[in-house]
Amino acid sequence: MKKPIKILFLTFTIAVLFYSCKNANKDSTTTTEVTNEASKPSKKSGQAFIEDDKSSTVLSIAMGSKDHTTLVAAVQAASLENALVNAGPLMVFAPTNEAFEALPEGIVDNLLKPENKDALANILKYHVTPGNYSKDFLKKFKKLGQANNAYVKVEVIDNEPMIGGAKILASINAGNGIVHVIDKVLLPPSE
């Protein structure tokens, strides 16, 4: 009886080894193909540049708005596209084009220069809060921790939440958070 068990075990072992070698060969071919695709140079990469993604993100909402072209240009100049499509939840306070135009002349153009990328990124991160809070829920806060590690003050004036002195004009839910359209550019406190 021991001999048939040994033969059965040996047959099973050979079959497993043969199957494993066959699959290992398939996997290495697939890996080579993927590696070759991944090694092709790409100017822009990451989640923000996946064209077949159907879910709306805080970035896609801003990109689809004619009132946020300056904000989108700033996000692109600071290379923050991928940060705005991550799983979140993210709460983005999105200044309108009019809000950017209200800044002193030349400020926006100066910030969009490549040598000012870090300063621009700091300002943009000051507009992002981890979380997904409605306009009404924001009334419960005194301050919010922003993505640049600073805090923005929250006040309630005439039963409306004011974020760093900015009024929320509209709120749009996204797949990875919420976009609160605001009427002012938030400037982080200077250190």
Side-chain angles (χ1 to χ4, degrees), residues 117-181:
K117 184 177 180 177
D118 290 341
L120 178 60
N122 183 49
I123 292 169
L124 292 173
K125 289 177 184 178
Y126 192 62
H127 289 79
V128 179
T129 305
N132 186 356
Y133 307 124
S134 69
K135 180 179 173 180
D136 284 334
F137 195 77
L138 288 170
K139 295 176 189 176
K140 299 179 182 203
F141 292 92
K142 298 290 182 198
K143 63 182 178 178
L144 296 170
Q146 302 303 87
N148 72 338
N149 295 320
Y151 291 91
V152 66
K153 186 176 180 180
V154 179
E155 298 176 283
V156 179
I157 300 174
D158 296 329
N159 204 29
E160 292 288 324
M162 301 291 283
I163 311 302
K167 182 178 180 181
I168 297 175
L169 304 173
S171 299
I172 304 143
N173 289 317
N176 65 337
I178 190 166
V179 176
H180 292 296
V181 177

Coordinates of all heavy atoms in Angstrom, one line a residue, residues 117-181:
K117 N 7.6 77.7 -8.0 CA 6.7 76.5 -7.9 C 6.4 76.1 -6.5 O 5.3 75.8 -6.1 CB 7.4 75.3 -8.7 CG 6.6 74.1 -8.7 CD 7.3 73.0 -9.6 CE 6.6 71.8 -9.7 NZ 7.3 70.8 -10.5
D118 N 7.4 76.2 -5.6 CA 7.2 75.8 -4.2 C 6.3 76.7 -3.5 O 5.4 76.3 -2.7 CB 8.6 75.7 -3.5 CG 9.4 74.5 -3.9 OD1 8.9 73.6 -4.5 OD2 10.7 74.6 -3.7
A119 N 6.5 78.0 -3.7 CA 5.6 79.0 -3.1 C 4.1 78.8 -3.6 O 3.2 78.9 -2.8 CB 6.0 80.4 -3.4
L120 N 4.0 78.6 -4.9 CA 2.7 78.3 -5.4 C 2.0 77.1 -4.9 O 0.9 77.1 -4.5 CB 2.8 78.2 -7.0 CG 1.5 77.9 -7.7 CD1 0.4 79.0 -7.5 CD2 1.7 77.7 -9.2
A121 N 2.8 76.0 -4.7 CA 2.3 74.8 -4.2 C 1.9 75.0 -2.7 O 0.8 74.5 -2.3 CB 3.4 73.7 -4.3
N122 N 2.6 75.8 -2.0 CA 2.2 76.0 -0.6 C 0.9 76.8 -0.5 O 0.0 76.4 0.3 CB 3.3 76.9 0.1 CG 3.0 77.1 1.5 OD1 2.7 76.2 2.3 ND2 3.1 78.4 1.9
I123 N 0.7 77.7 -1.4 CA -0.6 78.5 -1.4 C -1.7 77.5 -1.8 O -2.8 77.5 -1.2 CB -0.5 79.7 -2.4 CG1 0.4 80.7 -1.8 CG2 -1.9 80.3 -2.6 CD1 0.8 81.9 -2.7
L124 N -1.5 76.7 -2.8 CA -2.6 75.8 -3.3 C -2.9 74.8 -2.2 O -4.1 74.4 -2.0 CB -2.2 75.1 -4.6 CG -2.1 76.1 -5.8 CD1 -1.5 75.3 -7.0 CD2 -3.4 76.7 -6.1
K125 N -1.9 74.2 -1.5 CA -2.1 73.3 -0.4 C -2.9 73.9 0.7 O -3.6 73.2 1.5 CB -0.8 72.7 0.0 CG -0.2 71.7 -1.0 CD 1.2 71.2 -0.5 CE 1.9 70.4 -1.5 NZ 3.2 69.9 -1.0
Y126 N -2.8 75.2 0.9 CA -3.5 75.9 1.9 C -5.0 75.9 1.6 O -5.8 76.3 2.4 CB -3.0 77.3 2.0 CG -3.5 78.1 3.3 CD1 -3.2 77.6 4.5 CD2 -4.2 79.3 3.1 CE1 -3.6 78.3 5.7 CE2 -4.7 80.0 4.2 CZ -4.4 79.5 5.5 OH -4.8 80.2 6.6
H127 N -5.4 75.5 0.4 CA -6.8 75.5 0.0 C -7.4 74.1 0.1 O -8.5 73.8 -0.4 CB -6.9 76.0 -1.5 CG -6.7 77.4 -1.7 ND1 -5.5 78.0 -1.7 CD2 -7.6 78.4 -1.8 CE1 -5.6 79.3 -1.8 NE2 -6.9 79.6 -1.9
V128 N -6.6 73.1 0.6 CA -7.0 71.7 0.7 C -7.0 71.2 2.1 O -6.1 71.4 2.9 CB -6.1 70.8 -0.2 CG1 -6.5 69.4 -0.1 CG2 -6.1 71.3 -1.6
T129 N -8.2 70.6 2.5 CA -8.3 70.1 3.9 C -8.6 68.6 3.7 O -9.5 68.2 2.9 CB -9.5 70.7 4.6 OG1 -9.3 72.2 4.6 CG2 -9.6 70.3 6.0
P130 N -8.0 67.7 4.5 CA -8.4 66.3 4.5 C -9.8 66.2 5.1 O -10.1 66.8 6.2 CB -7.4 65.6 5.5 CG -6.3 66.6 5.6 CD -6.8 68.0 5.4
G131 N -10.7 65.6 4.5 CA -12.1 65.4 5.0 C -13.1 65.7 3.9 O -12.7 66.0 2.7
N132 N -14.3 65.6 4.3 CA -15.4 65.9 3.3 C -16.6 66.4 4.1 O -17.5 65.7 4.5 CB -15.8 64.6 2.6 CG -16.8 64.7 1.5 OD1 -17.3 65.8 1.3 ND2 -17.2 63.7 0.9
Y133 N -16.5 67.7 4.4 CA -17.5 68.4 5.2 C -18.4 69.3 4.4 O -18.0 70.1 3.6 CB -16.9 69.2 6.3 CG -15.9 68.4 7.1 CD1 -14.6 68.8 7.3 CD2 -16.2 67.2 7.7 CE1 -13.6 68.0 8.0 CE2 -15.3 66.4 8.5 CZ -14.0 66.8 8.6 OH -13.1 66.1 9.3
S134 N -19.7 69.2 4.7 CA -20.7 70.1 4.0 C -20.5 71.5 4.5 O -19.9 71.8 5.6 CB -22.1 69.6 4.3 OG -22.4 69.9 5.7
K135 N -21.1 72.4 3.8 CA -21.0 73.9 4.2 C -21.6 74.1 5.6 O -21.0 74.7 6.4 CB -21.8 74.7 3.2 CG -21.8 76.1 3.4 CD -22.6 76.8 2.3 CE -22.8 78.3 2.6 NZ -23.6 79.0 1.5
D136 N -22.7 73.4 5.9 CA -23.3 73.6 7.2 C -22.4 72.9 8.3 O -22.3 73.5 9.4 CB -24.7 72.9 7.3 CG -25.7 73.8 6.6 OD1 -25.5 75.1 6.5 OD2 -26.8 73.3 6.1
F137 N -21.8 71.8 8.0 CA -21.0 71.1 9.0 C -19.7 72.0 9.4 O -19.2 71.9 10.5 CB -20.6 69.7 8.6 CG -20.0 68.9 9.7 CD1 -20.9 68.3 10.6 CD2 -18.7 68.6 9.8 CE1 -20.4 67.5 11.6 CE2 -18.2 67.8 10.8 CZ -19.0 67.3 11.7
L138 N -19.3 72.8 8.4 CA -18.1 73.6 8.6 C -18.3 74.7 9.7 O -17.4 75.2 10.3 CB -17.7 74.3 7.3 CG -17.0 73.4 6.3 CD1 -16.9 74.1 5.0 CD2 -15.7 72.9 6.8
K139 N -19.6 75.0 10.0 CA -19.9 75.9 11.0 C -19.5 75.5 12.4 O -19.3 76.3 13.3 CB -21.4 76.2 11.1 CG -22.0 76.9 9.8 CD -23.5 77.0 9.9 CE -24.1 77.4 8.6 NZ -25.6 77.5 8.7
K140 N -19.2 74.2 12.6 CA -18.8 73.6 13.9 C -17.4 73.8 14.2 O -16.9 73.6 15.3 CB -19.2 72.1 13.9 CG -20.6 71.9 13.8 CD -20.9 70.4 13.8 CE -22.4 70.2 13.6 NZ -22.9 68.9 14.1
F141 N -16.6 74.3 13.2 CA -15.1 74.4 13.4 C -14.7 75.8 13.7 O -15.4 76.8 13.3 CB -14.4 73.9 12.1 CG -14.5 72.5 11.8 CD1 -15.5 72.0 11.0 CD2 -13.6 71.6 12.4 CE1 -15.7 70.7 10.7 CE2 -13.7 70.2 12.1 CZ -14.8 69.8 11.3
K142 N -13.6 76.0 14.4 CA -13.0 77.3 14.6 C -11.8 77.4 13.7 O -11.4 78.5 13.3 CB -12.5 77.4 16.1 CG -13.6 77.3 17.1 CD -14.4 78.6 17.1 CE -15.5 78.5 18.1 NZ -16.6 79.4 17.9
K143 N -11.2 76.3 13.3 CA -10.1 76.3 12.4 C -10.0 74.9 11.7 O -10.5 73.9 12.2 CB -8.7 76.7 13.0 CG -8.3 75.7 14.1 CD -7.0 76.2 14.7 CE -6.5 75.2 15.8 NZ -5.3 75.6 16.4
L144 N -9.3 74.9 10.5 CA -9.1 73.7 9.8 C -7.7 73.5 9.5 O -7.0 74.4 9.1 CB -9.9 73.7 8.4 CG -11.4 73.8 8.5 CD1 -12.0 74.1 7.1 CD2 -12.0 72.5 9.0
G145 N -7.2 72.2 9.7 CA -5.8 71.9 9.3 C -5.7 71.7 7.8 O -6.4 70.9 7.3
Q146 N -4.8 72.4 7.2 CA -4.7 72.4 5.8 C -3.6 71.5 5.3 O -2.7 71.1 6.1 CB -4.5 73.8 5.2 CG -5.6 74.8 5.6 CD -7.0 74.3 5.1 OE1 -7.7 73.6 5.8 NE2 -7.4 74.7 3.9
A147 N -3.5 71.1 4.0 CA -2.5 70.2 3.5 C -1.1 70.8 3.6 O -0.2 70.0 3.4 CB -2.9 69.9 2.1
N148 N -0.9 72.0 3.8 CA 0.4 72.6 3.9 C 0.9 72.7 5.3 O 1.8 73.4 5.6 CB 0.5 74.0 3.2 CG -0.2 75.1 4.0 OD1 -1.1 74.8 4.8 ND2 0.1 76.3 3.7
N149 N 0.1 72.0 6.2 CA 0.4 72.0 7.7 C 0.2 73.3 8.4 O 0.6 73.5 9.5 CB 1.9 71.5 8.0 CG 2.1 70.1 7.5 OD1 1.2 69.3 7.7 ND2 3.2 69.8 6.9
A150 N -0.6 74.2 7.8 CA -1.0 75.4 8.5 C -2.5 75.3 8.8 O -3.2 74.3 8.4 CB -0.8 76.6 7.6
Y151 N -3.0 76.3 9.5 CA -4.5 76.3 9.9 C -5.1 77.5 9.2 O -4.5 78.5 9.2 CB -4.7 76.3 11.4 CG -4.2 75.0 12.0 CD1 -2.9 74.9 12.5 CD2 -5.1 74.0 12.2 CE1 -2.6 73.7 13.1 CE2 -4.8 72.8 12.8 CZ -3.5 72.6 13.2 OH -3.1 71.5 13.8
V152 N -6.4 77.3 8.8 CA -7.2 78.4 8.3 C -8.3 78.6 9.3 O -8.9 77.6 9.8 CB -7.7 78.1 6.8 CG1 -8.7 77.0 6.8 CG2 -8.3 79.4 6.2
K153 N -8.6 79.8 9.6 CA -9.7 80.2 10.5 C -11.0 80.0 9.9 O -11.3 80.4 8.7 CB -9.5 81.7 10.9 CG -10.4 82.2 12.0 CD -10.0 83.6 12.4 CE -10.9 84.1 13.5 NZ -10.6 85.5 13.8
V154 N -12.0 79.5 10.7 CA -13.4 79.4 10.3 C -14.2 80.3 11.2 O -14.1 80.2 12.4 CB -13.9 77.9 10.4 CG1 -15.3 77.8 10.0 CG2 -13.0 77.0 9.5
E155 N -15.0 81.2 10.6 CA -15.9 82.0 11.3 C -17.3 81.8 10.8 O -17.5 81.5 9.6 CB -15.5 83.5 11.2 CG -14.2 83.9 11.7 CD -13.9 85.3 11.4 OE1 -13.5 85.6 10.2 OE2 -14.0 86.1 12.3
V156 N -18.3 82.1 11.6 CA -19.7 82.0 11.1 C -20.2 83.5 11.2 O -20.3 84.1 12.3 CB -20.6 81.1 12.0 CG1 -22.0 81.1 11.5 CG2 -20.0 79.7 12.0
I157 N -20.5 84.0 10.0 CA -21.0 85.4 9.9 C -22.4 85.3 9.2 O -22.5 84.8 8.1 CB -20.0 86.3 9.2 CG1 -18.7 86.4 9.9 CG2 -20.6 87.7 9.0 CD1 -17.6 87.1 9.2
D158 N -23.4 85.9 9.9 CA -24.8 85.8 9.3 C -25.2 84.4 9.0 O -25.7 84.1 7.9 CB -24.9 86.7 8.1 CG -24.7 88.2 8.4 OD1 -25.1 88.6 9.6 OD2 -24.3 88.9 7.6
N159 N -24.8 83.5 9.9 CA -25.1 82.0 9.7 C -24.5 81.4 8.5 O -24.9 80.3 8.0 CB -26.6 81.8 9.7 CG -27.0 80.4 10.1 OD1 -26.3 79.8 10.9 ND2 -28.1 79.8 9.6
E160 N -23.4 82.0 8.0 CA -22.7 81.5 6.8 C -21.2 81.2 7.3 O -20.6 82.1 7.9 CB -22.6 82.4 5.7 CG -24.0 82.7 5.0 CD -24.4 81.5 4.2 OE1 -23.5 80.8 3.5 OE2 -25.6 81.2 4.1
P161 N -20.7 80.0 7.0 CA -19.3 79.8 7.3 C -18.3 80.6 6.4 O -18.5 80.6 5.2 CB -19.1 78.3 7.1 CG -20.1 77.9 6.1 CD -21.3 78.9 6.3
M162 N -17.4 81.2 7.0 CA -16.4 82.0 6.2 C -15.0 81.3 6.5 O -14.6 81.1 7.6 CB -16.3 83.4 6.7 CG -17.6 84.2 6.6 SD -18.1 84.5 4.9 CE -17.0 85.9 4.5
I163 N -14.4 80.9 5.4 CA -13.1 80.2 5.5 C -12.0 81.1 5.2 O -11.8 81.6 4.0 CB -13.1 79.0 4.5 CG1 -14.4 78.1 4.6 CG2 -11.8 78.1 4.7 CD1 -14.7 77.5 6.0
G164 N -11.2 81.5 6.2 CA -10.1 82.5 6.0 C -10.6 83.8 5.4 O -10.0 84.4 4.6
G165 N -11.9 84.1 5.7 CA -12.5 85.4 5.2 C -13.2 85.2 3.9 O -13.8 86.1 3.3
A166 N -13.2 84.0 3.3 CA -13.8 83.7 2.0 C -15.2 83.1 2.2 O -15.4 82.3 3.1 CB -12.9 82.7 1.2
K167 N -16.1 83.6 1.4 CA -17.5 83.1 1.4 C -17.6 81.9 0.5 O -17.0 81.9 -0.6 CB -18.4 84.2 1.0 CG -19.9 83.8 1.0 CD -20.8 84.9 0.6 CE -22.2 84.5 0.6 NZ -23.1 85.6 0.2
I168 N -18.3 80.9 0.9 CA -18.6 79.7 0.1 C -19.8 80.0 -0.8 O -20.9 80.3 -0.4 CB -18.9 78.4 0.9 CG1 -17.6 78.1 1.7 CG2 -19.3 77.3 0.0 CD1 -17.8 76.9 2.7
L169 N -19.5 80.0 -2.2 CA -20.5 80.4 -3.1 C -21.3 79.1 -3.6 O -22.5 79.3 -3.9 CB -19.9 81.0 -4.4 CG -19.0 82.2 -4.1 CD1 -18.3 82.7 -5.4 CD2 -19.8 83.4 -3.5
A170 N -20.7 78.0 -3.6 CA -21.3 76.7 -4.0 C -20.5 75.6 -3.5 O -19.3 75.7 -3.2 CB -21.4 76.7 -5.6
S171 N -21.2 74.4 -3.5 CA -20.5 73.2 -3.0 C -20.8 72.1 -4.0 O -22.0 71.9 -4.4 CB -20.9 72.8 -1.6 OG -20.5 73.8 -0.7
I172 N -19.8 71.3 -4.5 CA -20.0 70.3 -5.5 C -19.4 69.0 -5.0 O -18.2 69.0 -4.7 CB -19.4 70.7 -6.8 CG1 -20.0 72.0 -7.3 CG2 -19.6 69.6 -7.9 CD1 -19.0 72.9 -8.0
N173 N -20.2 68.0 -4.8 CA -19.6 66.7 -4.3 C -18.8 66.0 -5.4 O -19.2 66.1 -6.6 CB -20.8 65.8 -3.9 CG -21.4 66.2 -2.6 OD1 -20.7 66.6 -1.7 ND2 -22.7 66.2 -2.6
A174 N -17.7 65.4 -5.0 CA -16.9 64.6 -6.0 C -16.7 63.2 -5.5 O -17.1 62.9 -4.3 CB -15.5 65.3 -6.1
G175 N -16.2 62.4 -6.3 CA -16.0 61.0 -5.9 C -14.9 60.9 -4.8 O -14.9 59.9 -4.0
N176 N -14.0 61.8 -4.7 CA -13.0 61.8 -3.6 C -13.1 62.9 -2.7 O -12.1 63.3 -2.0 CB -11.6 61.7 -4.3 CG -11.2 62.9 -5.1 OD1 -12.1 63.7 -5.5 ND2 -9.9 63.1 -5.3
G177 N -14.2 63.6 -2.6 CA -14.4 64.6 -1.6 C -15.4 65.6 -2.0 O -16.5 65.3 -2.6
I178 N -15.1 66.9 -1.8 CA -16.0 68.0 -2.1 C -15.3 69.2 -2.5 O -14.2 69.5 -2.0 CB -17.0 68.3 -0.9 CG1 -18.1 69.2 -1.2 CG2 -16.2 68.8 0.3 CD1 -19.2 69.3 -0.2
V179 N -15.8 70.0 -3.4 CA -15.3 71.3 -3.9 C -16.2 72.4 -3.3 O -17.4 72.4 -3.6 CB -15.2 71.4 -5.4 CG1 -14.7 72.7 -5.8 CG2 -14.2 70.3 -5.9
H180 N -15.6 73.3 -2.5 CA -16.4 74.4 -2.1 C -15.8 75.6 -2.9 O -14.6 76.0 -2.8 CB -16.1 74.7 -0.6 CG -16.7 73.7 0.3 ND1 -18.1 73.5 0.4 CD2 -16.2 72.8 1.2 CE1 -18.3 72.5 1.3 NE2 -17.2 72.1 1.8
V181 N -16.6 76.2 -3.7 CA -16.2 77.3 -4.5 C -16.2 78.6 -3.6 O -17.2 78.8 -2.9 CB -17.2 77.5 -5.7 CG1 -16.9 78.8 -6.5 CG2 -17.3 76.3 -6.6

